[in-house]
Amino acid sequence: MQNLLYALIQSVHNLLAVLIVGVGAYGLFFALNPTKRALAAVQSFAWALQGFTGAAFGLTTYHYFHQLPDIHGVAIAALLIKIGCVVLGFAFAATYVLFGPQFSKVVDKIFWWPMFLFGVLALSSAAFLRWFS
């Protein structure tokens, strides 16, 4: 049962990561202004769920082993990077939902770069977290 739970969490977590990076790339390179606010709303929701599923890994381990996962070194650094990306990615996306329509084209472009790059960085850090833990 434990492995099934981990696999389900991992599947949702991975799909959210793809959604975050894809929405960020689309918003940065292809989307027209009227759709960008909706894209940012999707991305902020995906970031919130990404944080929830990330926490679910630790909670699942705690439930079955009565302790948090035993990680150290590179894995802790990768986890902290991922947590930072979730917080900042959500903050940027939520800010865009609230204020994006008021942004100039230059500020709009500048704002979408981190929204895309936080997803790429979090996804890349996942590999280090997985293989160094």
Side-chain angles (χ1 to χ4, degrees):
M1 184 63 177
Q2 172 191 353
N3 287 337
L4 175 63
L5 193 52
Y6 281 129
L8 291 172
I9 294 167
Q10 186 71 59
S11 296
V12 173
H13 197 71
N14 289 352
L15 291 171
L16 288 168
V18 169
L19 178 65
I20 288 166
V21 172
V23 165
Y26 186 75
L28 179 61
F29 298 113
F30 304 110
L32 301 173
N33 278 342
T35 61
K36 285 186 173 184
R37 188 174 189 188
L39 288 171
V42 168
Q43 195 178 52
S44 64
F45 184 68
W47 274 119
L49 289 176
Q50 185 77 349
F52 177 76
T53 56
F57 285 119
L59 291 173
T60 301
T61 300
Y62 189 80
H63 174 74
Y64 284 100
F65 297 105
H66 307 293
Q67 65 182 23
L68 292 175
D70 183 23
I71 62 173
H72 46 78
V74 173
I76 288 177
L79 178 60
L80 292 175
I81 289 169
K82 284 177 61 75
I83 291 169
C85 287
V86 168
V87 170
L88 291 171
F90 176 82
F92 267 77
T95 300
Y96 193 92
V97 170
L98 296 174
F99 304 110
Q102 303 166 17
F103 291 164
S104 69
K105 286 189 177 208
V106 172
V107 173
D108 184 85
K109 194 77 153 175
I110 291 169
F111 222 79
W112 276 94
W113 270 108
M115 290 169 65
F116 169 64
L117 292 176
F118 288 137
V120 171
L121 182 58
L123 190 56
S124 299
S125 295
F128 287 88
L129 178 58
R130 171 68 177 98
W131 293 106
F132 283 89
S133 60

